[in-house]
Amino acid sequence: MRLNGKVVIVTGAGQGIGAATALKFAREGATVALCDLREDVVDRSIEACREVGAQAVGFALDVADRQAVDGMVAGVIERFERIDILVNNAGITRDARFEKMTGEQFDSVIEVNLKGVFNVAQAVVPAMIAQGHGVILNGSSVVGIYGNFGQTNYAAAKFGVIGLTKTWCRELGPKGIRVNAVAPGFIQTPMLSTVPDAVLARMSEQVPLRRLGRPEEVANIYAFLASDEASYINGAVIEASGGLTV
Ligand code: NAP
């Protein structure tokens, strides 16, 4: 088990990539602190992690709420005495063509997908610095590298996440903290549930592997990057898109 005894916080862990990542970390021996907006989905994920033998605790909170985030981090430290890994995965979409995008749509995506990443990372970093080690993994997207039609807000946030990642790599590397980003392509999760089947089929056809990705395929990358096997990977953006962007 590659993450035996490690303490990890996974945000947006109630479903999709976050739930798969929490479960993967649990299977790899980690103690998992899960957070998501709704208590019922948090509870479901806790149950799944406990079923594979992991210690798991949960927090229903909004990553954009700094006070709540600070409370979660304090709770994890109080209970487990350290935080080894943060997976900053929570994210939302509020798509619209640029001319039609409202200020509210723009702000809400920046608030969760960019400020939320800042909030949770800044809250965990003092503990990681005190320990002299830590790993921060940030969820970006291929949209954060190439942009995408209808996603001005999402692209701005996901490009921003890569900027945070590279900056923190420089600032925190000397303190023993590695910081990397993952940039998935189209992954079959509830986030895509509003996309019509015909559009999903067209999206699959654009991928050289001719299919959408599975949440577990992104979780595997987070687990590798969190492990000592990735001990010299820092400031990287790992794309997992089935070759979509080639
Ligand atoms: P998902 O299925 O929608 O799951 C995201 C989870 O995060 C949901 O449970 C959601 O709760 C929760 N969440 C949303 N806002 C939150 C907040 N403010 N605080 C705490 N939790 C919050 O999404 P996913 O597809 O697994 O995506 C996970 C991450 O990967 C996101 O950052 C996304 O941008 C990124 N990503 C996804 C894809 C893809 O194709 N699926 C591709 C590239 C990148 P609610 O359901 O209640 O909103």
Side-chain angles (χ1 to χ4, degrees):
M1 294 205 283
R2 289 182 294 177
L3 301 171
N4 225 356
K6 302 283 189 193
V7 177
V8 58
I9 294 179
V10 182
T11 70
Q15 63 181 32
I17 293 167
T21 301
L23 185 57
K24 174 71 181 171
F25 277 59
R27 287 202 168 108
E28 292 283 356
T31 292
V32 199
L34 308 146
C35 100
D36 206 295
L37 283 176
R38 295 196 327 267
E39 195 150 354
D40 56 329
V41 295
V42 171
D43 288 346
R44 205 175 50 202
S45 265
I46 290 177
E47 203 51 47
C49 292
R50 287 186 180 155
E51 269 174 23
V52 298
Q55 282 199 79
V57 292
F59 300 84
L61 58 80
D62 180 346
V63 292
D65 177 348
R66 181 57 190 263
Q67 231 183 331
V69 166
D70 287 344
M72 166 178 72
V73 169
V76 173
I77 291 170
E78 188 179 77
R79 174 107 186 248
F80 303 114
E81 293 176 353
R82 58 180 209 286
I83 298 169
D84 300 298
I85 303 152
L86 165 64
V87 182
N88 246 327
N89 162 78
I92 58 171
T93 53
R94 298 288 184 269
D95 296 351
R97 279 206 347 249
F98 174 47
E99 308 95 283
K100 297 197 166 171
M101 185 170 285
T102 64
E104 197 281 330
Q105 284 173 316
F106 187 82
D107 290 346
S108 58
V109 169
I110 297 295
E111 199 57 28
V112 174
N113 295 12
L114 186 60
K115 186 75 180 294
V117 169
F118 169 87
N119 283 343
V120 191
Q122 202 179 48
V124 302
V125 147
M128 290 184 173
I129 290 174
Q131 295 159 185
H133 71 87
V135 179
I136 298 174
L137 302 174
N138 295 326
S140 182
S141 165
V142 291
V143 175
I145 305 174
Y146 304 98
N148 195 24
F149 191 95
Q151 292 199 306
T152 293
N153 47 4
Y154 189 82
K158 296 299 188 183
F159 266 80
V161 166
I162 291 175
L164 303 180
T165 301
K166 290 181 185 284
T167 301
W168 297 344
C169 153
R170 288 178 182 273
E171 289 191 10
L172 302 174
K175 298 177 180 176
I177 301 167
R178 293 190 291 109
V179 189
N180 292 293
V182 175
F186 304 133
I187 311 297
Q188 189 112 47
T189 71
M191 185 175 264
L192 296 189
S193 61
T194 54
V195 180
D197 284 348
V199 177
L200 287 178
R202 274 205 304 279
M203 284 157 74
S204 297
E205 277 162 28
Q206 290 170 37
V207 181
L209 291 181
R210 295 289 184 272
R211 65 174 177 84
L212 304 180
R214 295 184 291 272
E216 295 73 21
E217 292 175 307
V218 181
N220 289 341
I221 300 169
Y222 280 126
F224 165 68
L225 287 174
S227 77
D228 291 341
E229 290 171 4
S231 52
Y232 206 56
I233 301 182
N234 193 23
V237 182
I238 308 294
E239 194 178 309
S241 69
L244 172 70
T245 57
V246 172

